[in-house]
Amino acid sequence: MPFPHFPRTWGRRRMLGLALGAGLAPAVGAAPAAALPRSADGEAALGRRVVAVATSQIGVPYAWGGGDRLGAGLGFCDEENGYLDGQCLGESTVGYDCSGLSLYCWYRASAGAVELAHYTVAQFHRSAPVERSALLPGDLIFFSRPDAPLHHVGLWAGDGAMIHAEHTGTLVARLEGVFDIPRWSREFAGARRPLPLG
């Protein structure tokens, strides 16, 4: 089967990720899908693995559209995103956007049993609701504004912290006391726990 043509601006990692997803290339080093534990202890252990993966990505640059199940990837710019001070950084930055980071962390920690969409709204709707009082490390926490519904997702790290990729020009970071910060507390839109494939 001939390899499909992709736009020149796409990075090799993004092309490989798309080819793997379409079954056009062998999965090099892909983790085998594994059954996820259904117990509370199993969920907590998986969540801790998610946080460990996220912690290992602290310091990686933000890239709009960047990141997939293979890890950090080349981003891009669209009409509004990927720019800093009028300059397109997305096309020259290998990193993660917020949903790319959560996608990678859950895929890696679950050995491929959880594969999230690379879109914040889809991650919200395809995961199980969790009350704020019941958050476990690894849960996804979402943020919304009237002008930007579900504009951001972070990974609950426990102890009041989240790990996230915020915007162009920043690095993946751990933010302590997220719900004590007025902006994030005001924009909190709910939490979700990803579900295994199938």
Side-chain angles (χ1 to χ4, degrees):
M1 172 184 289
F3 200 78
H5 172 73
F6 293 103
R8 242 174 115 91
T9 57
W10 288 13
R12 283 181 285 194
R13 179 176 294 270
R14 179 166 300 284
M15 289 187 289
L16 180 59
L18 289 170
L20 289 171
L24 299 175
V28 179
L36 292 183
R38 297 288 183 180
S39 68
D41 288 343
E43 285 185 346
L46 174 57
R48 288 191 296 272
R49 290 196 305 272
V50 170
V51 172
V53 173
T55 299
S56 75
Q57 302 306 300
I58 289 174
V60 173
Y62 179 97
W64 172 257
D68 56 29
R69 61 188 183 179
L70 302 176
L74 191 63
F76 62 91
C77 295
D78 63 16
E79 294 81 19
E80 300 174 12
N81 301 291
Y83 298 90
L84 183 65
D85 300 326
Q87 180 183 359
C88 173
L89 296 185
E91 293 177 356
S92 60
T93 303
V94 173
Y96 297 100
D97 64 9
C98 64
S99 59
L101 177 66
S102 55
L103 180 166
Y104 171 69
C105 293
W106 269 93
Y107 185 82
R108 178 84 177 185
S110 71
V114 175
E115 187 166 1
L116 301 172
H118 194 162
Y119 180 47
T120 300
V121 174
Q123 290 184 5
F124 182 88
H125 290 295
R126 294 180 189 161
S127 299
V130 177
E131 293 297 323
R132 185 168 149 180
S133 61
L135 281 167
L136 291 175
D139 285 343
L140 303 177
I141 53 177
F142 294 86
F143 301 89
S144 180
R145 298 188 308 261
D147 66 317
L150 294 177
H151 68 86
H152 190 63
V153 60
L155 293 151
W156 180 249
D159 300 321
M162 91 169 157
I163 297 173
H164 70 144
E166 188 173 357
H167 58 75
T168 302
T170 66
L171 305 175
V172 174
R174 179 181 169 111
L175 181 62
E176 304 294 337
V178 64
F179 293 127
D180 297 329
I181 300 169
R183 175 220 167 157
W184 296 109
S185 179
R186 183 175 57 251
E187 294 183 9
F188 178 66
R192 296 290 191 270
R193 188 165 300 150
L195 304 169
L197 295 169

